[in-house]
Amino acid sequence: MSDATGHVTSLLAPDARTKARNAAERRFRMIGLSAVGLGLLALLVLLSSVLGNGLSAFQQTSVALTIPLDEKKLDKSGKRDPAAMAKVTTVGYGKLIQEALQDMLDQAGVDTGGLKPKELMGLLSKEAAADLRERVLADPALVGTTQTFEAMANGRVDGYFKGRVTLESAKRDANISPEQLELAQRMADAGLIVTSFNWKFLTNPDASELRPESAGLGVAILGSAYMMVIVLVLSLPIGVAASIYLEELAPKNRWTDLIEINIANLAAVPSIVFGILALALFINFLGLPQSAPVVGGLVLTLMTLPTIIIATRASLKSVPQGVRDAALGVGASKMQAIFHHVLPLAMPGILTGTILGLARALGESAPLLLIGMVAFVKDYPAAPPEGFFDPASALPVQVYSWTQRADPAFAERASGAIIVLMLFLLTMNAVAIILRRRFERRW
Amino acid sequence: MNDMRLTERAVTEKAKMSARGVQVHYGTNHALKDVDVDILDKTVTAFIGPSGCGKSTFLRCLNRMNDTVASARVTGKIEMDGQDIYDPRVDPVQLRAKVGMVFQKPNPFPKSIYDNVAYGPKIHGLTRSKAELDEVVESSLRKAALWNEVKDRLAAPGTGLSGGQQQRLCIARAVATSPEVLLMDEPCSALDPIATAQVEELIDELRAQFSVVIVTHSMQQAARVSQRTAFFHLGSLVEYGETGTIFTSPRDPRTESYITGRIG
Amino acid sequence: MTVGLLSLLLLVLAALGFVVGRQKAIASVKGDTRNLHSLPAYYGMGVALFTAVPAFALMLVWLLVQPVLIEAQVTGMILPEDIADGSSRDLVMSDVRRIASGMDVLAERGLPEAEFAKLVTDTTALKTRLADAGVALAADINPHVAEAAAVYRAEVATGRAWLAVAALALAVAGFLLAAMRVTPEFRARNVVEQFIRVLLVAASSVAVLTTVGIILSLVFESWHFFRLYPAKDFFLSLTWAPKFGGGSSLGIWPLLWGTLYVSAIALLVAVPVGLMAAIYLSEYAGPRLRSVAKPALEILAGIPSIVYGLFALMTVGPFLRDWLARPMGIGDSSSSVMTAGVVMGIMLIPYVSSLSDDIINAVPQALRDGSYGLGATQSETVKQVVFPAALPGIVGAILMAASRAIGETMIVVLGAGAAAKLSLNPFEAMTTVTVKIVSQLTGDTEFASPETLVAFALGLTLFVFTLGLNVLALYIVRKYREQYE
């Protein structure tokens, strides 16, 4: 103990070693704090990158045209017979739009810069003529009247106003010329091109490579919604039933042990493997259609089940034994005790777990790629239940397919779609949190 | 050990630590009210009292272990050798090297027996060489009366020892930093009677080097090992004095009730 | 009768069963329900369950088995010479199905059944008719195929009809049987509860069936693959160069290398950051910081991997290329092992930190107290007592994170690239097992070729890897928890 006495110093003056140790303590703290900071920074960068790239997808530039819908051109017979009217193709409507555009520019006194009519039309989306045709065919009474029509601007023009396309880049671009962009600028100055909220981004179906401006999430949102319905309807009852058996009724034996290990491992199987299962089982073996929400819903159900089972068992476990004993004590059967007392008490926890499971399923994309949901789908699926078998897309998969397109306008759409997806997830998580806060019981 | 050895109680009157007006709050709970105590050097002091009376709380004030509880607030003055241990200049880390602690449940680290004992000297840098460290480990284990049982398996995990051995290992671990005061928080409550007897014997031997403060539930234990006894009740210090006096002629009726078993 | 209508009918029958069972029970005791063994509703439920459940079970099995049987029968009608060069039996069979469904559409539009017999012999007319119905066929229709389609359609219709008959018969039988058993002494509650118990057991075996399904489909299709492509080459070859049309080399090593490289970088990012964040949040952080940082990290954990993929593609990839790879002259691609690894690391941070948080909190406070009591600082306690004590659990957590990294798909699809390479340069694009599973199984490829089937062998490899890691991790963590319980 000789050096113990040499070590003794006043408590009030820390020795050199203590100082060094305290410095090490501070360093360690700083490292820890910076790790937390790094995590938060990553979240911030991620969110701002998505928002920065995607918010502009919710804006769309368009040109309001006043178009006289000439009967002679659109319905020669004058009988308003839809079959006969359908013979007029988009080319015919395109001419109407072109004339209207020319008129408008003349009236407003905007200098066209000597652009040819075809180049003028290049300012508008190629979808405009089809849109107009659809609108007329849907309501033949419009023929003969004069209508105002919001024609979407071409993706490059749209990109010009959003800063994605510049006069420089237009020189190297076969799809747009600097002269066209200058005209667009003059039109905007004259108030002919306006930017407004892009509802069509939420409702339109996907569009082809050349028309990024008209590509929307309609089919994808519908497809995702269909799948969520299937997942909810299948996984909630099956998951709750399985949990009740495992937690409340099952004897402890090899078989139930196996099921438990199985569920724990199933929760960690990579999602792509579930995709392979769906492809081999549902599509190749059972012959269910590709790209169909029913297949996506089934595979997502299988993926969600472990999550729901784990959450349900946890909340069944948290119901105190006293509740069961009390019910059994007044002569209820075991099933009655479970269904009348335990299950209702565990319900908030079960619902929270289910919503979180659904949120994860909503964001899942890998397995859906394998069952053909990347396919280009332009038609809305029918109403359920037949619609479950129609081809559809899904939100996360739509993001993926847009990233695979060459036009940078699709990159903006992809980020916009992510924002929509995250809003859905945020809502679901918020509901789960509120449920938990509102109904959480502490025993 | 059954005699009360009242005759052997020759004690120094020098105070090692002194507490004045100590109050402790845990959040809104006033856990300790206005406690004044002098801990004498080279003496065993026992804190007795019913559960929740504040005796462990007070013990944890003496080496500032309450600092690790976020909600705890300590006021009043505690001095060690005339220096206020709650002075902002005092580093609790340095203080705890001088005021060692042994806990209710044996808590050996999941390391070897050797590393358990060497832990304190290592972090405080008390030794300069491996040979010196070996020496400290051996002498600490000897002081804890454990050396003979473990000298052949110093590399074995400390968690593999029996409960009584684990507790003596924890004592050796605390002794290894050569503290001046050793705090023991019900050190025998998790032990069987034989292990308890061994630890009590050890406490008596340790008194030669340090002042020992022991919190205990057992009045017999307090009577067996201590020279001074403090009785706590509902967060207040009721009575403090020579162990013999407290047990034979308590001044306060509450002390008497407790000792005769009417409250507890 | 469609499946929907049949289901509806069965449900109606079941509802009727409930009413009848209940009424009969009440009537049997002349309204004094105290004389019944069980509550009246249980008698109703019993009848309803016996009506609906067996019929629905039959329907399910029938729907699963019928296509397999019919296909086996119809496929015999296609002679080997009917299969064109470059085509396969599978492709011809899919034509058969499409023609059959086209015929259904025609029938719905009011084409009389007699017309179909004529159409089958006149395949050109059939083709135009089908084109009208929205089924466009590339080549001319082989008469055998047309015939097969007609038979297929007829068989499906017959099958459906028999299904309806059988299911309804079973439902009625169940109804009558259960209704007859309703007497005051009948222990309806016990029977119903036994029935429900069987349903619960069935639900709990879905998880096991899923695993069995995964293993069977992977093993079965991999076995197909290894019949077409030597297993030795798959496991030992160092080149990956699929050529559609034969002569591919499909060695797994370049893909495994890419997978492990990306995962290693991800873990290098995620483990230190996640672990230190967990330590800071559980040992140091005040309640204020904790209440902000923990939910924020949870948000990071709840973000779908496609978002991370897009982040890699649009932000991290170009950033790393322009600020690191190009200035240092070591790479020119925005998708690279580094891009995917870093982004995957960010994704794993909350995973590692929440797992480690649980594990660090499981270390008993007594150990910390012991260390503080000896005068150790907080960081000394963490480094020398808490961390070693938690080490087994943390190793388990890292293994789980590794398994997630290996199985992650979208980040590497969008961030790592598609070129199979064995390179050490992390700024080069490389590819992984999961990327290749996606690329080999999407797109219109023939299902029977080794280039497609290899995806199943890759999937099997991936499954075995991740399962091994998970089982090991779960075992370690379980042992760890037992130690402190």
Side-chain angles (χ1 to χ4, degrees):
Chain A
M1 302 283 53
S2 52
D3 72 297
T5 45
H7 189 75
V8 168
T9 45
S10 159
L11 277 174
L12 296 176
D15 56 12
R17 188 179 168 82
T18 313
K19 276 183 199 150
R21 285 171 65 200
N22 284 334
E25 171 75 23
R26 278 192 296 279
R27 275 197 302 280
F28 189 76
R29 266 182 102 117
M30 280 320 294
I31 294 172
L33 188 59
S34 45
V36 176
L38 216 55
L40 298 183
L41 182 73
L43 177 66
L44 211 67
V45 172
L46 177 70
L47 291 181
S48 54
S49 139
V50 168
L51 286 178
N53 286 319
L55 274 181
S56 55
F58 295 93
Q59 300 281 321
Q60 173 68 42
T61 48
S62 56
V63 182
L65 296 171
T66 312
I67 303 179
L69 296 167
D70 189 351
E71 184 171 11
K72 268 177 267 164
K73 281 178 186 149
L74 299 180
D75 188 16
K76 278 185 198 131
S77 65
K79 287 181 191 138
R80 305 285 188 268
D81 171 24
M85 283 170 66
K87 296 237 160 64
V88 181
T89 61
T90 50
V91 179
Y93 287 90
K95 284 201 185 105
L96 284 182
I97 293 176
Q98 187 188 322
E99 282 159 17
L101 179 62
Q102 194 83 53
D103 280 354
M104 186 180 74
L105 291 175
D106 291 346
Q107 275 176 19
V110 175
D111 173 21
T112 57
L115 289 175
K116 292 191 209 82
K118 204 180 158 217
E119 287 170 311
L120 282 185
M121 279 302 277
L123 293 177
L124 299 183
S125 167
K126 293 187 171 59
E127 197 72 15
D131 269 358
L132 182 62
R133 177 169 181 265
E134 229 166 77
R135 205 163 124 192
V136 172
L137 288 184
D139 184 8
L142 293 177
V143 176
T145 63
T146 296
Q147 293 290 324
T148 46
F149 174 68
E150 292 258 327
M152 275 191 276
N154 180 287
R156 297 296 149 93
V157 175
D158 189 43
Y160 172 70
F161 289 110
K162 289 172 183 170
R164 190 174 60 238
V165 176
T166 60
L167 294 174
E168 277 304 299
S169 77
K171 278 182 196 155
R172 287 171 270 114
D173 195 334
N175 292 318
I176 198 91
S177 67
E179 291 75 28
Q180 283 174 307
L181 290 182
E182 280 160 9
L183 172 60
Q185 184 61 56
R186 286 196 296 274
M187 285 169 73
D189 294 341
L192 300 179
I193 288 185
V194 291
T195 305
S196 56
F197 188 78
N198 188 8
W199 284 109
K200 286 189 170 160
F201 179 58
L202 296 177
T203 55
N204 266 11
D206 194 6
S208 68
E209 186 76 56
L210 289 173
R211 315 173 169 177
E213 65 278 0
S214 84
L217 288 169
V219 173
I221 291 176
L222 218 52
S224 278
Y226 282 11
M227 286 194 287
M228 288 306 110
V229 168
I230 294 173
V231 173
L232 181 66
V233 165
L234 289 180
S235 66
L236 184 60
I238 296 180
V240 171
S243 314
I244 289 178
Y245 178 69
L246 292 175
E247 194 60 43
E248 304 282 336
L249 299 170
K252 261 277 170 214
N253 58 26
R254 282 261 181 82
W255 174 244
T256 48
D257 258 3
L258 183 73
I259 295 181
E260 301 216 357
I261 294 172
N262 199 342
I263 289 170
N265 282 316
L266 214 49
V269 168
S271 56
I272 187 100
V273 171
F274 281 93
I276 295 180
L277 168 75
L279 181 63
L281 181 67
F282 297 134
I283 294 181
N284 285 339
F285 185 68
L286 296 179
L288 289 172
Q290 288 225 341
S291 320
V294 64
V295 180
L298 283 175
V299 64
L300 292 179
T301 301
L302 294 184
M303 292 181 63
T304 314
L305 263 182
T307 320
I308 294 188
I309 292 180
I310 291 168
T312 306
R313 294 191 60 180
S315 70
L316 286 175
K317 205 176 272 177
S318 73
V319 176
Q321 189 57 36
V323 173
R324 296 176 186 84
D325 293 344
L328 296 179
V330 296
S333 70
K334 201 153 186 188
M335 287 279 182
Q336 286 171 324
I338 293 167
F339 282 97
H340 295 170
H341 299 283
V342 179
L343 198 56
L345 288 173
M347 220 51 208
I350 296 174
L351 289 182
T352 311
T354 306
I355 294 173
L356 294 180
L358 281 181
R360 271 190 57 185
L362 181 62
E364 197 56 68
S365 30
L368 304 182
L369 296 183
L370 297 193
I371 58 163
M373 294 204 94
V374 262
F376 178 74
V377 182
K378 190 139 174 44
D379 299 317
Y380 296 101
E386 286 81 21
F388 289 147
F389 293 85
D390 288 345
S393 186
L395 266 176
V397 181
Q398 189 69 69
V399 173
Y400 170 75
S401 26
W402 281 343
T403 61
Q404 303 301 303
R405 308 252 175 101
D407 194 325
F410 280 109
E412 170 201 80
R413 305 253 142 186
S415 296
I418 288 282
I419 295 176
V420 174
L421 176 64
M422 303 261 274
L423 280 179
F424 277 117
L425 292 181
L426 203 66
T427 317
M428 291 168 90
N429 278 291
V431 170
I433 290 171
I434 290 170
L435 261 181
R436 187 159 35 190
R437 290 263 164 85
R438 179 94 175 64
F439 294 105
E440 191 178 49
R441 271 196 187 77
R442 294 215 176 270
W443 302 99
Chain B
M1 293 276 284
N2 287 333
D3 66 318
M4 301 261 257
R5 288 187 289 179
L6 294 177
T7 50
E8 289 176 32
R9 297 227 165 92
V11 288
T12 54
E13 288 298 327
K14 180 175 161 257
K16 182 71 188 168
M17 302 186 82
S18 67
R20 291 292 174 270
V22 175
Q23 317 245 12
V24 179
H25 295 262
Y26 288 122
T28 55
N29 174 24
H30 197 176
L32 205 61
K33 296 160 196 157
D34 208 14
V35 173
D36 297 348
V37 166
D38 281 329
I39 309 291
L40 303 182
D41 203 11
K42 310 258 191 286
T43 308
V44 178
T45 309
F47 292 172
I48 60 171
S51 307
C53 65
K55 54 192 192 299
S56 286
T57 302
F58 182 62
L59 191 75
R60 292 170 72 93
C61 291
L62 295 179
N63 67 345
R64 293 184 58 175
M65 275 300 274
N66 279 329
D67 290 16
T68 62
V69 181
S71 63
R73 197 158 47 81
V74 180
T75 53
K77 197 174 175 116
I78 301 179
E79 285 185 343
M80 179 173 181
D81 295 330
Q83 287 173 325
D84 181 4
I85 65 170
Y86 280 88
D87 188 290
R89 283 170 296 171
V90 170
D91 193 327
V93 165
Q94 240 177 324
L95 170 72
R96 288 180 203 141
K98 294 186 175 190
V99 185
M101 187 161 191
V102 175
F103 297 84
Q104 191 168 359
K105 257 175 77 184
N107 56 352
F109 302 134
K111 296 168 179 269
S112 70
I113 293 171
Y114 182 94
D115 285 338
N116 260 288
V117 182
Y119 180 74
K122 267 190 200 158
I123 57 172
H124 293 292
L126 300 181
T127 56
R128 260 158 255 132
S129 65
K130 176 85 172 73
E132 227 175 296
L133 186 62
D134 288 349
E135 213 176 289
V136 171
V137 170
E138 183 180 338
S139 70
S140 310
L141 283 169
R142 277 188 197 284
K143 282 182 207 159
L146 193 60
W147 175 251
N148 287 330
E149 290 159 64
V150 300
K151 64 180 176 208
D152 301 324
R153 44 176 177 141
L154 290 176
T159 43
L161 298 172
S162 73
Q165 286 175 324
Q166 284 191 10
Q167 193 61 301
R168 277 179 286 147
L169 177 62
C170 292
I171 293 173
R173 191 174 69 184
V175 166
T177 56
S178 29
E180 295 161 33
V181 179
L182 190 59
L183 310 177
M184 302 180 122
D185 191 356
E186 301 190 33
C188 301
S189 65
L191 303 183
D192 62 57
I194 295 174
T196 302
Q198 284 171 324
V199 170
E200 283 179 2
E201 205 164 343
L202 184 57
I203 292 169
D204 200 52
E205 285 163 22
L206 291 173
R207 175 164 80 93
Q209 282 135 13
F210 334 105
S211 64
V212 177
V213 183
I214 175 168
V215 165
T216 176
H217 250 115
S218 149
M219 284 171 289
Q220 288 82 353
Q221 186 172 56
R224 284 195 296 266
V225 301
S226 71
Q227 290 83 45
R228 290 290 180 127
T229 296
F231 171 64
F232 287 80
H233 185 55
L234 298 176
S236 316
L237 177 67
V238 174
E239 193 166 350
Y240 175 55
E242 278 203 25
T243 303
T245 324
I246 297 269
F247 278 90
T248 50
S249 49
R251 272 171 288 135
D252 195 285
R254 284 173 291 177
T255 316
E256 195 184 352
S257 308
Y258 182 68
I259 286 168
T260 52
R262 264 179 297 183
I263 55 174
Chain C
M1 188 181 292
T2 64
V3 173
L5 185 60
L6 182 60
S7 312
L8 200 67
L9 255 178
L10 291 179
L11 287 179
V12 169
L13 258 177
L16 192 69
F18 181 84
V19 176
V20 169
R22 192 169 175 278
Q23 289 307 326
K24 194 173 172 216
I26 295 174
S28 70
V29 288
K30 300 185 181 61
D32 185 2
T33 51
R34 285 174 302 171
N35 293 334
L36 287 170
H37 170 270
S38 316
L39 292 173
Y42 278 105
Y43 293 89
M45 261 195 268
V47 179
L49 283 173
F50 275 98
T51 308
V53 174
F56 272 114
L58 176 79
M59 195 166 96
L60 200 67
V61 173
W62 193 296
L63 288 176
L64 292 184
V65 172
Q66 178 179 299
V68 182
L69 290 181
I70 293 180
E71 205 130 307
Q73 193 190 348
V74 172
T75 194
M77 297 178 62
I78 312 251
L79 304 175
E81 56 264 33
D82 298 333
I83 300 166
D85 284 339
S87 180
S88 71
R89 189 166 286 272
D90 285 346
L91 287 180
V92 175
M93 278 312 291
S94 87
D95 275 351
V96 168
R97 282 192 294 267
R98 288 178 61 201
I99 295 171
S101 71
M103 288 172 162
D104 281 340
V105 176
L106 290 176
E108 260 176 48
R109 291 186 185 172
L111 193 70
E113 288 294 320
E115 284 286 304
F116 286 111
K118 274 187 240 159
L119 278 178
V120 168
T121 48
D122 181 4
T123 51
T124 353
L126 178 60
K127 194 181 168 192
T128 27
R129 283 289 196 149
L130 287 176
D132 281 348
V135 179
L137 293 161
D140 284 336
I141 301 171
N142 180 309
H144 281 139
V145 173
E147 238 172 84
V151 172
Y152 182 87
R153 188 169 161 257
E155 291 276 340
V156 169
T158 330
R160 282 283 155 80
W162 277 111
L163 165 62
V165 171
L168 285 176
L170 194 62
V172 171
F175 185 115
L176 292 178
L177 197 75
M180 258 160 37
R181 287 171 72 189
V182 173
T183 56
E185 297 78 40
F186 180 57
R187 299 153 72 88
R189 204 200 67 234
N190 308 45
V191 171
V192 167
E193 287 183 351
Q194 204 54 41
F195 206 109
I196 290 176
R197 196 187 168 93
V198 170
L199 293 181
L200 296 183
V201 173
S204 70
S205 22
V206 169
V208 178
L209 288 180
T210 308
T211 310
V212 171
I214 288 175
I215 293 173
L216 277 186
S217 56
L218 286 175
V219 168
F220 190 68
E221 301 286 356
S222 299
W223 179 67
H224 271 297
F225 169 68
F226 287 126
R227 277 199 318 185
L228 295 171
Y229 189 87
K232 193 174 68 109
D233 289 357
F234 176 71
F235 287 116
L236 298 178
S237 164
L238 294 182
T239 45
W240 171 272
K243 292 192 196 85
F244 286 96
S248 315
S249 44
L250 301 169
I252 194 177
W253 280 103
L255 311 185
L256 267 189
W257 169 246
T259 304
L260 296 178
Y261 204 172
V262 171
S263 308
I265 292 179
L267 291 180
L268 278 179
V269 173
V271 171
V273 178
L275 195 56
M276 281 310 294
I279 288 175
Y280 189 82
L281 288 179
S282 66
E283 304 278 332
Y284 287 100
R288 179 103 56 78
L289 176 63
R290 209 177 345 220
S291 69
V292 175
K294 274 201 157 182
L297 286 179
E298 273 169 32
I299 293 180
L300 212 51
I303 292 176
S305 66
I306 179 77
V307 182
Y308 285 100
L310 197 70
F311 182 53
L313 181 76
M314 292 179 52
T315 310
V316 177
F319 176 85
L320 289 179
R321 181 193 58 201
D322 297 342
W323 293 90
L324 280 176
R326 269 194 191 146
M328 286 159 71
I330 46 174
D332 207 21
S333 155
S334 82
S335 47
S336 66
V337 170
M338 193 53 109
T339 306
V342 166
V343 174
M344 199 188 283
I346 294 175
M347 182 189 79
L348 291 177
I349 288 173
Y351 191 62
V352 172
S353 82
S354 78
L355 284 176
S356 329
D357 192 45
D358 289 351
I359 282 155
I360 290 170
N361 284 332
V363 174
Q365 183 63 29
L367 286 185
R368 292 186 181 86
D369 284 348
S371 179
Y372 296 144
L374 289 170
T377 63
Q378 220 166 343
S379 65
E380 284 162 350
T381 306
V382 168
K383 280 187 276 193
Q384 299 184 34
V385 176
V386 176
F387 185 72
L391 191 60
I394 288 172
V395 169
I398 293 174
L399 289 182
M400 283 190 209
S403 140
R404 284 226 4 204
I406 289 173
E408 171 53 42
T409 306
M410 295 321 289
I411 293 178
V412 284
V413 165
L414 292 172
K421 246 181 283 181
L422 278 166
S423 160
L424 278 175
N425 182 355
F427 290 97
E428 257 183 71
M430 283 180 228
T431 197
T432 70
V433 173
T434 48
V435 172
K436 285 302 159 193
I437 292 177
V438 170
S439 68
Q440 300 310 101
L441 285 180
T442 48
D444 295 319
T445 52
E446 191 193 342
F447 204 71
S449 70
E451 287 75 23
T452 308
L453 287 174
V454 69
F456 291 94
L458 292 175
L460 186 60
T461 317
L462 182 68
F463 181 70
V464 169
F465 255 78
T466 50
L467 187 73
L469 280 174
N470 278 317
V471 170
L472 189 63
L474 285 177
Y475 175 78
I476 291 176
V477 171
R478 191 185 275 197
K479 279 271 159 242
Y480 168 76
R481 292 207 177 280
E482 278 167 8
Q483 184 190 337
Y484 289 121
E485 257 165 23

